[in-house]
């Protein structure tokens, strides 16, 4: 079996070429990195030859700086897994930049190298003409023009991969200085590349404008999230209602086994339903973001927002995950994988749960409708959303200055050309992300749902106030009394860990939510509870995703302690100050 390493710059077309070469693979394995994935595929080419193709994260130089570059270099330099061939993927529209890494590989004598000159269709569209044979002779490596989109050159490349390739000496020296290397690359490209004069006006003149570009960005992402809510929320509600109906039918069929019925309906099915209900939002969000990324626009949004967000310790890449946090923190935390800096990614994951997700809306609506007239209620709702944003930005700032102690997070970003999204590739990406979520987060979410069910139903036959949950509520009462809460609200806060929406149904079980339930509390208590709920970490699913994404429990626990402590302190100040003023 011939081992082939796929190496190249980011956005050079490695993933597309990997898919084009491995479309008939019998086995594909994903090896998780920090923010990226290293993929391996065992394939039989049309010629019958067996190869192992390894797609490495993109890198710009053999001097690694970022985590994904270190992953690529680790594999490249591993003596025990030396490759039979390096398949270098070079973007035909960016020869000068791509040649920096290629000449480094040639000088390092890493072994036989075959160059796949990708995006030839795009190069022709831009009026770029390349003397491929002359460039190949000057470099001393074979070079095959390909286009993953049209299939051009794929067969020739497959044949070249299994053909003997002798490493040849390059005409380029091994300078230490990047300036000298680029000067020699310029000499190498003399007479190789010619370009037609492009149009005087380009889309980036508008899309990267410091004012108009932000307006366009606001419109695009406003449309994105309008689509997310308009399509994803009804699908999520439909799935949830389907599980509710199924649970009701199962409950009626198991009337002779009430405990078993309750376990299956309130524990297992409720947990599975909560999990599956997230799937439409996750799938649609990753699909829409994929369209923006594939088209080349997402990089431009990152560029526009990097400077203002860096003040809070966040990269411009955190903009999309934070926006999606208003829908649901789970896909938002998953989408922070686009953030290249590990520190900035951890800051983004830490602060995203402060943003008021849709799961908080039921309790917001219940309390605001019960205690405030319409015009006041609108201001309260707006204030809760603003509170989450301010808490997120301030927390990011303090994490940046006092925990990570980073002065700035420099953004190294390539602005790719505008391209038509590859919907087959997008569908495969969405399937991978959703499957990963279901497999890795599902077990913990289900187990926590069953645990919450046990707390509310044992000891058997005991009323709710004497159940383990009720006892915990009474145990919590001294801690939450300074906030204006009683043990009944304490039970609701405990129950909301399985899903924030459960807070409303728990109050419904306790009070029946009749017309007079609100008489048990004052508007001041309602405000205190709203602020606590807006700031506290009340979501097991989010903690599960944090554990999965950080590969440790220390970050989820720190997040829980910090957010809950901030929520307690904020509610304490509000309730005690309001009480002192006579409210």
């Amino acid at each position: 079996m011939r081992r082939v390493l796929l190496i190249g710059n980011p956005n050079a077309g490695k993933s597309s070429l990997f898919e084009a070469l491995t479309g008939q693979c019998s086995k594909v394995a994903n090896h998780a990195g920090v923010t990226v994935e290293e993929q391996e595929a065992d394939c039989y080419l049309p010629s019958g030859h067996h190869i192992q193709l390894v797609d490495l994260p993109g890198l710009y130089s053999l001097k690694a700086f970022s985590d994904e570059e270190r992953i690529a270099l680790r594999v490249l330099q591993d003596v025990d897994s030396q490759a039979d061939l390096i398949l270098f993927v070079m973007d035909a529209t960016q020869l000068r930049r791509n040649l920096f890494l290629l000449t480094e590989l040639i000088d390092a004598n890493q072994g036989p190298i075959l160059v796949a000159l990708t995006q030839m269709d795009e190069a022709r569209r831009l009026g770029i003409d390349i003397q491929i044979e002359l460039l190949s002779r000057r470099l001393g490596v074979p070079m095959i023009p390909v286009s993953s989109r049209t299939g051009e050159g794929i067969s020739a490349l497959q044949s070249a991969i299994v053909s003997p390739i002798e490493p040849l000496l390059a005409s380029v020296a091994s300078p230490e200085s990047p300036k000298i290397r680029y000067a020699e690359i310029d000499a190498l490209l003399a007479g190789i590349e010619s370009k037609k004069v492009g149009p005087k006006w380009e889309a980036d003149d508008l899309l990267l404008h410091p004012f108009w570009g932000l307006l366009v960005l606001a419109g695009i992402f406003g449309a994105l999230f309008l689509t997310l809510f308009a399509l994803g929320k009804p699908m999520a509600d439909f799935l949830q209602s389907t599980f509710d109906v199924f649970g009701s039918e199962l409950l009626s069929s198991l009337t002779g086994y009430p405990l078993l019925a309750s376990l299956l309906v309130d524990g297992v099915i409720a947990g599975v339903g909560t999990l599956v209900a997230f799937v439409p939002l996750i799938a649609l969000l990753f699909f829409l973001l994929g369209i923006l990324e594939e088209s080349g626009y997402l990089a431009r949004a990152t560029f526009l927002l990097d400077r203002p967000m860096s003040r809070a310790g966040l990269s411009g890449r955190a903009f999309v995950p934070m926006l999606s946090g208003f829908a649901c923190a789970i896909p938002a935390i998953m989408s922070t994988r686009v953030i290249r800096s590990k520190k900035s990614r951890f800051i983004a994951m830490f602060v995203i749960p402060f943003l008021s997700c849709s799961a908080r809306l039921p309790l917001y609506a219940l309390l605001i409708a019960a205690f405030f007239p319409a015009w006041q209620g609108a201001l309260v709702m707006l204030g809760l959303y603003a509170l989450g944003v301010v808490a997120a930005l301030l927390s990011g700032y303090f994490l940046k200055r006092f925990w990570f102690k980073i002065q700035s997070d420099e953004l190294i970003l390539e602005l790719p050309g505008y391209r038509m999204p590859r919907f087959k590739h997008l569908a495969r990406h969405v399937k991978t992300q959703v499957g990963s979520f279901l497999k890795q987060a599902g077990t913990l979410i289900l187990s926590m749902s069953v645990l919450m069910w046990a707390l509310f139903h044992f000891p058997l036959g005991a009323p709710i106030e004497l159940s383990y949950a009720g006892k915990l509520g009474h145990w919590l009462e001294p801690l939450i009394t300074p906030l204006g809460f009683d043990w009944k609200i304490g039970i609701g806060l405990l129950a909301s860990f399985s899903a924030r929406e459960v807070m409303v149904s728990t109050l419904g079980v306790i009070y029946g939510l009749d017309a007079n339930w609100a008489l048990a509390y004052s508007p001041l208590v309602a405000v205190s509870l709203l602020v606590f709920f807006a700031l506290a970490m009340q979501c097991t699913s989010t903690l599960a995703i944090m554990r999965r994404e950080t590969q440790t429990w220390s970050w989820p626990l720190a997040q829980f302690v910090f957010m809950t402590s901030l929520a307690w302190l904020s509610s304490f100040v509000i309730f005690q100050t309001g009480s002192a003023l006579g409210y």
Side-chain angles (χ1 to χ4, degrees), residues 88 126 145 251 437 477 492 513 543:
F88 187 84
L126 295 173
L251 193 64
F437 165 72
E477 197 166 26
L513 289 187
L543 292 174

Side-chain angles (χ1 to χ4, degrees), residues 46-124:
S47 61
H49 291 86
H50 186 197
I51 68 168
Q52 182 186 54
L53 193 63
V54 183
D55 182 18
L56 298 179
L59 67 164
Y60 292 103
S61 170
L62 294 182
K63 297 178 177 63
F65 295 98
S66 63
D67 291 317
E68 62 267 28
E69 288 175 324
R70 294 188 184 97
I71 294 170
L73 289 182
R74 185 193 67 224
V75 177
L76 184 64
Q77 298 168 357
D78 187 357
V79 178
D80 296 330
S81 59
Q82 283 295 315
D84 299 297
L85 176 68
I86 292 176
L87 180 55
F88 187 84
V89 182
M90 184 159 66
D91 184 353
T93 66
Q94 299 288 343
L95 285 182
R96 185 174 185 268
R97 175 171 51 74
N98 283 239
L99 279 170
F100 189 95
L101 175 60
L102 177 57
T103 54
E104 281 188 323
L105 285 169
I106 295 173
D107 296 339
N109 194 23
Q110 291 287 339
I113 297 176
L114 172 65
V115 176
L117 192 60
T118 60
Q119 307 197 44
M120 290 300 299
D121 55 334
E122 183 71 10
R124 295 188 191 99

Side-chain angles (χ1 to χ4, degrees), residues 184 457 547:
E184 298 195 2
H457 288 82
R547 165 65 181 84

Side-chain angles (χ1 to χ4, degrees), residues 7 36 79 108 186 205 227 240 242 248 267 291 298 319 327 340 385 464 468 491 536 564 569:
I7 296 177
V36 291
V79 178
D186 290 337
D205 294 339
T227 303
Q240 187 65 60
T242 301
S248 300
I291 290 177
L298 201 56
F319 165 68
R340 295 169 65 102
Y385 276 85
I464 190 171
Y468 292 135
I491 289 180
T564 305
L569 182 62

